[in-house]
Amino acid sequence: MPPAPPRVQGQWALDQRAPLNAAEQVKQDDDGLNVRERIVTRYAREGFDSIDPQDLRQRFKWWGLYTQRAPGIDGGRTGSLSDAEIEDRYFMMRVRIPGGQLTAEQLRAVGDVATRYGRDVADVTDRQNIQYHWIRIEDVPAIWERLEAVGLSTTTTCGDAPRNILGCPVAGIDGAELFDPTPALRATDAFAAGNRAFTNLPRKWKSAISACSVHCTLHEINDISFVGVRGPGGVDGFDLWVGGGLSTNPMSAQRLGAFVEPERVPEVWAGVTGLFRDYGYRRLRARARIKFLLADWGPERFREVLEGEYLGGALPDGPAPPPPDGSPRDHVGVHAQRDGLVYVGAAPPAGRLTGTQLREVADLAEAFGSGRVRTTVEQKLVVLDVPPARVDGLVAELAARDLLVEPSVFRRGTIACTGIEFCKLAIVETKARARDLYGELERRMPAFDTPITINVNGCPNACARFQLADIGLKGSIVDGEEGFQVHLGGTLGAEVAFGRKLRGLKVTARELPDYVERLLRTYEGDRADDEPFATWVHRADEAQLAAGAAVRAGGAE
């Protein structure tokens, strides 16, 4: 028998453009950016009930809008309800903040919007966005007007399009930085945001551009990353990485071995993004990320197609980036700038803030520094350009607003996704659980000072990167109540290791503080001198890692 023909994957460059699923049909019917006009001229005037369902649940994402979860729906019902059954009449909304860079004026506007339109709630996400909740469709045009007046937008902060571009929050001022990548980042974002050549991609598209010495933008897990290196002849530039991503099939990005000069970053970004648009898989949404294409092709073929079809010539070979210097990747604390000033990084409680706090931070940034503020991928805030003599005053003012510059290792290392409070996909509460957990650990283990990361995720989709934490917690229903499947020992750096998952190791939310305390005390008693937690995890036996927790055979996720 002749071999079966290869299965059509919906690759535009090979299979034509016939939509193979409902999401592809919606995108082909109308560009997501076009929904803005309908929001302004119709939906905001006529109200929630006037919104076309395809706009509501698909195209709104291109302007940073998701319907949020209706109150009172427990996590055990998450996968069994339709969008219409689980959604509220309010929205989550994200603000695009390239490189996490904000002026005091911009931060004040962001805070104003949260207070006036979002019940004073504002989350720092792990993509350097600010995310609102409780947004009414009637208020969206006014929110856009307020944000755009200060140079901000919500353009493609969701949807199958280029998301917010990550950058080091202390780019241009950190003395350990190889060089300042800010011009390349700004040029790329100006080219990418709202560019209709890239608003119908197979899936979401996550980018990072950085020359940070601690690799704070996590280039290992982005779709595309430009990582600062000293190239041939000592020229500053970037090493190109492609194909990272987490969710239910975590994969590390791969080096293409190509050196990119700073002025070519927008062009090369467009080439890789265009290749994904044309060759990315579209038949199955679960396989529509670039990581699957790269895994099938390999970096050599990917680079060959990129150079031959999209760049019109070969890129020079280049070196791998230096390994991270071992410092935490969050920029929390007081650190010297290259100009004699300092920057001050503070930890909010699991990324949750208020609009009032944001406005007050804007005021503090002007009073104690130059007015420049940054968000980080670890859900933190950084105030730049502070004279050393004024640091103590700023630290005290931030602490008075529950923004800690010298937090415990537990608070500093904890991040959390949105969770069941607002997210339609979540199974468990996250923000409150995270705060309760680190607060309880602070009380029980006040002398514990080894850096530890605890990532609390409401579902398997890994918005809070549970596979990369020392202690990664993936939301699950355990014995009929909220709980977590435990992943241990995730790390980034020279060798990416996704967290170790022990079969059946799940804990209820009630049991969580007891389990984590026992686990950390087991680590303290068994570790070698200065042995990091993740290193210990990968040599410990399962009984040690279970730390007395009940091993469960089942439990819905």
Side-chain angles (χ1 to χ4, degrees):
M1 294 179 60
R7 191 167 193 178
V8 170
Q9 297 291 344
Q11 296 169 282
W12 283 2
L14 303 176
D15 304 323
Q16 307 303 315
R17 298 194 180 191
L20 300 180
N21 57 54
E24 288 298 310
Q25 184 68 64
V26 168
K27 291 186 289 183
Q28 185 162 293
D29 288 345
D30 191 25
D31 191 303
L33 291 182
N34 293 339
V35 78
R36 175 171 175 141
E37 181 179 3
R38 295 191 287 278
I39 291 173
V40 172
T41 61
R42 179 183 173 192
Y43 301 146
R45 295 178 181 180
E46 299 180 17
F48 187 89
D49 291 334
S50 70
I51 304 173
D52 178 274
Q54 290 189 341
D55 284 348
L56 178 66
R57 299 182 187 111
Q58 295 292 336
R59 299 186 188 101
F60 271 33
K61 297 175 185 176
W62 273 249
W63 288 98
L65 291 161
Y66 286 99
T67 48
Q68 70 185 38
R69 188 188 192 96
I73 301 174
D74 68 76
R77 302 175 64 199
T78 294
S80 63
L81 299 177
S82 68
D83 280 337
E85 293 172 308
I86 203 169
E87 68 192 3
D88 207 344
R89 300 167 69 87
Y90 297 94
F91 294 90
M92 300 191 296
M93 185 184 209
R94 293 182 189 146
V95 183
R96 188 182 188 97
I97 306 173
Q101 299 184 6
L102 291 163
T103 65
E105 180 187 30
Q106 289 173 326
L107 185 60
R108 199 170 285 117
V110 170
D112 285 345
V113 168
T115 301
R116 182 171 182 181
Y117 301 109
R119 301 189 184 181
D120 210 28
V121 178
D123 292 335
V124 182
T125 77
D126 62 4
R127 298 293 305 175
Q128 295 183 293
N129 302 294
I130 296 292
Q131 182 167 279
Y132 299 128
H133 305 283
W134 300 110
I135 300 300
R136 302 186 317 141
I137 190 63
E138 292 86 349
D139 296 326
V140 169
I143 292 171
W144 283 336
E145 183 177 359
R146 179 72 175 101
L147 294 174
E148 290 167 6
V150 295
L152 296 174
S153 79
T154 67
T155 309
T156 64
T157 47
C158 313
D160 296 349
R163 305 288 182 93
N164 191 45
I165 299 179
L166 302 186
C168 175
V170 292
I173 66 169
D174 184 11
E177 182 181 51
L178 283 176
F179 61 92
D180 184 4
T182 302
L185 189 152
R186 288 179 176 170
T188 305
D189 184 72
F191 174 77
N195 188 328
R196 290 179 183 266
F198 308 114
T199 50
N200 185 351
L201 300 178
R203 282 294 299 276
K204 66 183 75 172
W205 188 241
K206 298 182 177 182
S207 309
I209 302 171
S210 175
C212 175
S213 66
V214 301
H215 300 321
C216 69
T217 57
L218 314 183
H219 62 274
E220 302 96 332
I221 58 166
N222 285 286
D223 294 298
I224 177 173
S225 289
F226 295 85
V227 186
V229 294
R230 289 274 151 74
V235 176
D236 290 336
F238 298 94
D239 190 39
L240 180 59
W241 292 57
V242 176
L246 295 178
S247 192
T248 54
N249 289 283
M251 298 184 192
S252 177
Q254 299 186 54
R255 293 186 60 234
L256 298 192
F259 178 75
V260 182
E261 295 178 353
E263 61 272 16
R264 293 197 68 186
V265 170
E267 172 198 358
V268 175
W269 180 93
V272 176
T273 308
L275 189 159
F276 175 54
R277 176 196 61 210
D278 300 339
Y279 284 97
Y281 304 142
R282 293 175 182 260
R283 182 176 67 87
L284 297 176
R285 295 282 291 172
R287 279 182 51 84
R289 297 292 297 275
I290 197 172
K291 63 186 179 182
F292 294 103
L293 179 66
L294 190 70
D296 289 345
W297 280 15
E300 294 81 9
R301 181 185 174 192
F302 190 99
R303 180 174 171 180
E304 180 181 349
V305 174
L306 171 66
E307 293 172 336
E309 297 186 22
Y310 293 87
L311 300 181
L315 294 168
D317 293 338
D325 68 12
S327 303
R329 294 187 175 199
D330 58 11
H331 299 291
V332 167
V334 178
H335 302 274
Q337 298 181 182
R338 62 178 57 176
D339 58 4
L341 301 174
V342 300
Y343 67 85
V344 178
R352 173 58 53 83
L353 290 149
T354 67
T356 301
Q357 285 174 304
L358 293 180
R359 293 197 310 277
E360 291 174 345
V361 171
D363 294 341
L364 293 174
E366 288 183 327
F368 287 88
S370 66
R372 296 196 294 171
V373 181
R374 301 291 184 258
T375 57
T376 85
V377 302
E378 300 296 337
Q379 302 179 339
K380 309 300 192 286
L381 290 177
V382 183
V383 177
L384 307 187
D385 308 324
V386 181
R390 306 211 64 198
V391 166
D392 290 347
L394 175 59
V395 169
E397 292 286 355
L398 290 169
R401 293 158 176 83
D402 199 20
L403 300 170
L404 302 186
V405 177
E406 298 176 346
S408 71
V409 292
F410 301 119
R411 176 167 175 159
R412 179 173 182 172
T414 298
I415 66 171
C417 71
T418 301
I420 202 171
E421 182 180 11
F422 299 115
C423 179
K424 295 181 296 184
L425 302 178
I427 300 169
V428 303
E429 166 60 36
T430 55
K431 294 290 190 185
R433 300 285 187 208
R435 294 193 297 269
D436 291 346
L437 176 59
Y438 73 66
E440 192 65 18
L441 293 171
E442 288 170 344
R443 184 182 69 82
R444 298 183 187 189
M445 305 181 71
F448 188 91
D449 60 0
T450 302
I452 197 84
T453 54
I454 303 174
N455 293 15
V456 186
N457 216 89
C459 76
N461 287 320
C463 293
R465 309 190 300 263
F466 64 87
Q467 301 100 325
L468 297 178
D470 289 317
I471 302 173
L473 302 171
K474 182 178 74 172
S476 177
I477 300 301
V478 180
D479 295 343
E481 58 184 289
E482 286 194 5
F484 298 92
Q485 184 178 67
V486 180
H487 295 241
L488 299 172
T491 57
L492 294 174
E495 295 292 336
V496 175
F498 297 118
R500 182 177 174 185
K501 181 174 69 174
L502 275 65
R503 185 178 301 276
L505 180 52
K506 299 180 180 181
V507 296
T508 66
R510 289 182 297 103
E511 298 168 325
L512 186 60
D514 291 340
Y515 166 71
V516 175
E517 180 190 5
R518 290 195 303 267
L519 177 67
L520 294 178
R521 292 196 186 282
T522 301
Y523 159 65
E524 283 188 306
D526 187 60
R527 66 181 173 182
D529 291 343
D530 298 323
E531 184 177 27
F533 180 84
T535 303
W536 172 78
V537 162
H538 289 283
R539 71 167 177 83
D541 62 43
E542 292 195 0
Q544 290 175 302
L545 300 182
V551 177
R552 295 164 165 93
E557 296 183 9

